[in-house]
Amino acid sequence: MYKFKNIIYITVIYIFILVKPSFSDSSKCTNIKNICDKLDKVVGIKTPMMIASGTIIDNKIIVTNRHVVEDHKQFVIKFNNGEIKKAFPLPHNFPTDLALLSLIKEPQKVNKLPKSNNIKGKIRVIAYDQGRNANRIYKPGKIISFSDFNRFPQARIHTNAKSLPGNSGGSVVDENGDLVGILASGDGNINEVIPVSLINKIIENTDSKHKDDFFKIGNYIKLCADNLETAFNVQKNLDVSIVSNIDNYCWNSNNKQLIDQAGQTFGRLGDLKRAKKFLERSIQLDPNSPNALLSLAITFHISRDLEKEKPIILKLLKLTPENPQVLRLGVQVAGILKDKEMSNQVLSLMTKHNKEALPLAKKFIDNAFKTN
C-alpha cells in the first residue's frame, strides 16, 4: 500500500496516465504462455491515497481489495494496453477484504465466477508494477497454509510467492493460469491471498441498499490506515489521540489486515495489552496466519508469558518450520519451560533448516536442563 499527500495527487495521476509502459512481460512469454495470457486481466488502480492493482473478472467489472477502495467514490484505472478509464465501487456487506469496481455508474448484474478446480502446482502473482509502470508476473511460490473459508470469511491463503508494495488487488494464479485468488497483503516473505471462492460471496452480497454502511466502514478503513501511517514513524510515546484513533477506527474497520497492523504497531511501541487484543482478534479471523501468529508469539515472549506462547510456537513449527525466528523462539521457550519433547522437535528442525545456529541452540538447551 502506498499513500500520497493530496498536494501531489494531480502530478501522480499525470504520471500514471501518460507515462508509457517501459516493460511488458508479454514480450518474454515462452514456457508460461498460459500465465502470460492473464496479463491483460490485470489493471493499475489510482486513488487519492495509493496506487494498487485490480483484476478483471467480468465485462466491465474489476475486483480489488476493500482497503484499496476505502470510501472513495471513483477511481482511475489503467489497462495493460495503456487505456485509461474511470471506475466506481459497488457497495456490499460481506466482511472479506474485497470490493467490486464497475466501469459504468449504473447498478448492474455481476456474474459469478465458475467454481475453481484444485490448485495445480505453485502459484504466482500478476499485478501492476509501479517501478515498471506496467503489469508484471512475479516469481512463483508454494502455499503455506489456509483456513476453512466458510467458517472464517476473512481468512487468507498464505504463500511465499513474491510480490511488491502496490500489488494489492492483483491476480494470483496457479500453473494452469487459473485464478486462485486476489493478493491482499504481505511482509515480503509471506504474502496473503483472498481465495476466488470469496469473490462470489462479494457478488452475492452486492446491493445498492448497502451504500451507506459500505462508505461508513470505508471511512473507518481510511482513518485507521491514516493513523497507522502516522504511528509508523514514531519510536515511542505515541500521542494519546493517535492511540485512541487506532483503537477506534481500526477496530471498527473490521478489516483483518488493519487489525493485524494495529497489533504489530502497538507491539513495536511496547503497548502489549493493546497489541494482544488486536493480534488475538486477527487470529480469530484467520487462525492459520503465520504473520499474525508470529507477532502474537513475540508479544507473549516480551511479556514473559511463555505458557501462552508455547502453543503458538508449536503451531508455527508446523506451518513455517524453516523460519529462523520461529526456531529461535522455540529453543528459548522449550529451554525455559524445560520441555524435553519440544526441545527435541526444535533441534531436529534446526538440523534440517538452520544448521548454522544448531551448536548454540544445543548449548542453550543443555544448560537449561542441567540440574542445579
Side-chain angles (χ1 to χ4, degrees):
M1 181 188 299
Y2 276 106
K3 294 222 164 190
F4 294 85
K5 300 299 182 183
N6 288 335
I7 194 170
I8 64 170
Y9 177 49
I10 295 176
T11 303
V12 173
I13 285 289
Y14 180 82
I15 295 172
F16 183 70
I17 292 175
L18 295 184
V19 175
K20 293 183 179 180
S22 58
F23 174 90
S24 174
D25 271 321
S26 59
S27 64
K28 292 190 174 184
C29 286
T30 53
N31 297 331
I32 55 170
K33 187 178 186 307
N34 56 330
I35 296 174
C36 292
D37 287 344
K38 307 300 180 182
L39 275 166
D40 289 339
K41 292 291 186 180
V42 172
V43 299
I45 298 176
K46 183 70 191 77
T47 81
M49 307 305 291
M50 70 184 82
I51 292 176
S53 302
T55 299
I56 301 169
I57 60 168
D58 197 358
N59 184 31
K60 300 186 182 301
I61 297 294
I62 295 162
V63 62
T64 189
N65 294 127
R66 184 72 177 90
H67 71 259
V68 171
V69 173
E70 296 182 334
D71 62 346
H72 304 301
K73 304 300 191 298
Q74 68 178 37
F75 306 85
V76 175
I77 306 297
K78 182 177 181 179
F79 291 83
N80 196 39
N81 63 3
E83 187 178 6
I84 301 294
K85 291 186 178 181
K86 289 183 179 180
F88 310 90
L90 299 178
H92 69 80
N93 69 340
F94 194 73
T96 296
D97 189 18
L98 292 175
L100 302 179
L101 304 180
S102 172
L103 296 179
I104 57 175
K105 273 190 172 183
E106 294 77 13
Q108 57 182 297
K109 181 180 178 181
V110 181
N111 297 319
K112 286 187 180 181
L113 299 180
K115 290 184 178 179
S116 58
N117 298 320
N118 293 331
I119 298 170
K120 181 180 178 181
K122 291 186 175 182
I123 62 177
R124 64 175 80 211
V125 175
I126 307 174
Y128 180 80
D129 186 287
Q130 298 181 63
R132 297 178 176 181
N133 196 35
N135 292 347
R136 178 181 175 186
I137 299 170
Y138 294 84
K139 292 181 179 179
K142 67 178 181 178
I143 291 175
I144 296 171
S145 66
F146 57 88
S147 298
D148 182 340
F149 300 112
N150 290 320
R151 291 181 59 199
F152 305 103
Q154 292 217 46
R156 282 97 184 274
I157 298 169
H158 303 274
T159 175
N160 60 4
K162 301 303 179 184
S163 70
L164 292 174
N167 292 162
S168 294
S171 297
V172 180
V173 301
D174 67 7
E175 289 182 359
N176 286 331
D178 293 331
L179 185 64
V180 171
I182 303 299
L183 185 70
S185 62
D187 67 350
N189 296 311
I190 298 178
N191 295 309
E192 301 183 353
V193 179
I194 301 174
V196 66
S197 61
L198 294 181
I199 299 177
N200 284 336
K201 293 292 185 181
I202 295 295
I203 293 172
E204 290 173 8
N205 290 274
T206 293
D207 196 299
S208 58
K209 68 182 180 181
H210 302 309
K211 180 179 178 180
D212 290 343
D213 285 341
F214 181 83
F215 287 113
K216 181 180 179 180
I217 292 173
N219 189 50
Y220 285 138
I221 291 172
K222 179 175 71 176
L223 292 172
C224 169
D226 288 345
N227 281 275
L228 288 174
E229 184 183 28
T230 300
F232 180 78
N233 295 316
V234 176
Q235 300 303 315
K236 60 179 181 178
N237 300 326
L238 185 63
D239 188 279
V240 292
S241 64
I242 303 299
V243 172
S244 177
N245 287 344
I246 294 174
D247 246 344
N248 179 24
Y249 300 137
C250 296
W251 200 259
N252 285 312
S253 74
N254 194 33
N255 183 282
K256 188 266 179 190
Q257 176 176 327
L258 294 176
I259 288 171
D260 209 9
Q261 290 177 0
Q264 293 170 9
T265 297
F266 284 128
R268 177 178 60 82
L269 294 172
D271 191 339
L272 302 184
K273 183 178 179 180
R274 283 190 170 87
K276 290 174 188 175
K277 181 185 79 168
F278 279 99
L279 291 170
E280 285 172 342
R281 176 57 179 160
S282 177
I283 292 169
Q284 287 174 356
L285 297 173
D286 188 358
N288 290 322
S289 171
N291 289 334
L293 287 165
L294 181 55
S295 296
L296 184 58
I298 293 170
T299 302
F300 283 133
H301 200 84
I302 294 171
S303 61
R304 299 185 183 281
D305 195 346
L306 301 192
E307 290 290 351
K308 287 187 177 179
E309 181 186 358
K310 175 183 170 181
I312 300 174
I313 294 297
L314 289 173
K315 188 170 187 176
L316 284 167
L317 289 172
K318 293 180 179 179
L319 295 176
T320 57
E322 72 287 347
N323 188 317
Q325 191 169 17
V326 172
L327 293 170
R328 184 166 58 250
L329 289 172
V331 167
Q332 294 177 19
V333 170
I336 295 171
L337 295 181
K338 297 188 183 300
D339 188 321
K340 193 67 176 178
E341 182 180 352
M342 183 178 182
S343 64
N344 289 337
Q345 179 183 356
V346 178
L347 292 176
S348 176
L349 289 171
M350 292 187 79
T351 301
K352 181 178 180 180
H353 298 292
N354 196 0
K355 290 183 179 180
E356 296 81 3
L358 187 59
L360 189 60
K362 283 183 175 179
K363 183 177 180 181
F364 179 86
I365 292 295
D366 290 341
N367 288 335
F369 281 91
K370 282 182 180 178
T371 56
N372 296 327

